[in-house]
Amino acid sequence: MATLPAHATVQDLQRYVRQMTQERGFSSNSVLQECLLLTEEVGELSKAVRKQEQLRVDEHSKVGTIAEELADILIVLTAIANHYEVDLERAFRDKEAVNDQRTWRPAA
């Protein structure tokens, strides 16, 4: 059974998601299926934010918490990264190195 260390690194998270998806029978999902699921999870996050901000939400909608929906997004995102063997920590660091070279202006 997959276990996640208490003070997990990004690599630990990626290993955990890889094991967990196999154990739960999701390892055969295609990248297309995972990308569509990611889109659904982002929509669910939007509903959770709407609810938190006291904006109207369909009374028949099942709305999770913001924390739950963010966790779902992280799981699916990590599964996509694993499919392509992307080291998320390395990708993050590389992208931030590029972003550090950009000029950022506050929104008008």
Side-chain angles (χ1 to χ4, degrees), residues 37-38 41 44 65-78:
L37 184 56
L38 179 62
E41 295 299 347
E44 290 175 12
T65 66
I66 291 172
E68 290 169 337
E69 301 309 338
L70 286 170
D72 285 343
I73 289 168
L74 183 58
I75 291 166
V76 177
L77 181 70
T78 302

Side-chain angles (χ1 to χ4, degrees), residues 29-63:
N29 282 4
S30 69
V31 174
L32 176 59
Q33 287 171 302
E34 294 294 345
C35 286
L36 291 171
L37 184 56
L38 179 62
T39 301
E40 289 176 26
E41 295 299 347
V42 170
E44 290 175 12
L45 172 63
S46 296
K47 279 186 182 180
V49 168
R50 289 180 61 82
K51 180 180 176 184
Q52 180 69 35
E53 295 298 319
Q54 299 179 343
L55 298 172
R56 189 172 18 200
V57 177
D58 180 358
E59 64 186 51
H60 301 292
S61 289
K62 179 183 175 213
V63 182

